[in-house]
Amino acid sequence: VDVVESGGGLVQSGESLSLSCVFSGRIFRPYSMGWYRRGPGIERELVASITGDGETKYSDSVKGRFTISADGADVISGDVAKITANLQMTHLSARDTAMYSCYYYDTVNYWGSGTQVTVSS
């Protein structure tokens, strides 16, 4: 599975930002996708995840502010497909400053290259 990550950048506190990851290849169910982050004072944290059936989970630190979604997720196991995961981040604060890395997992983990999110206060 190929992973292409985009988004991120520098924003002011209170602003919004979105991240995307495109996963291309043979998709096997069950699968999940999401983002981890690591930054100043943040150990590796699973920010948000979504399964192929649309079940979502969020860390307590972002619940209510971040929304994860997926496009093209309704695929038959074993098909070659392209799925896009999106992470909409709102009400950002300096505590959200981190390197964000997306992943796709079925039987193997595939990782994006990571994108920096910096929130200035």
Side-chain angles (χ1 to χ4, degrees):
V1 174
D2 294 324
V3 183
V4 178
E5 189 165 9
S6 62
L10 172 66
V11 295
Q12 301 284 331
S13 180
E15 293 184 340
S16 301
L17 202 60
S18 62
L19 307 178
S20 291
C21 265
V22 179
F23 306 98
S24 304
R26 197 168 299 277
I27 307 296
F28 292 98
R29 290 183 172 272
Y31 69 86
S32 65
M33 308 173 291
W35 275 267
Y36 281 87
R37 69 182 180 183
R38 180 176 288 169
I42 302 177
E43 294 292 326
R44 188 178 181 227
E45 177 186 25
L46 177 58
V47 175
S49 66
I50 186 168
T51 69
D53 296 325
E55 180 180 346
T56 59
K57 290 183 180 179
Y58 299 92
S59 67
D60 288 341
S61 62
V62 308
K63 202 170 293 183
R65 299 187 299 122
F66 290 15
T67 303
I68 189 169
S69 62
D71 299 319
D74 188 19
V75 299
I76 296 174
S77 187
D79 277 2
V80 174
K82 180 181 292 186
I83 302 172
T84 302
N86 305 291
L87 184 67
Q88 179 67 33
M89 305 180 290
T90 65
H91 302 288
L92 288 164
S93 73
R95 289 173 293 179
D96 296 311
T97 294
M99 176 67 73
Y100 287 69
S101 298
C102 66
Y103 75 90
Y104 165 92
Y105 175 78
D106 48 31
T107 58
V108 178
N109 257 324
Y110 299 89
W111 292 94
S113 57
T115 185
Q116 179 67 34
V117 172
T118 302
V119 185
S120 62
S121 55

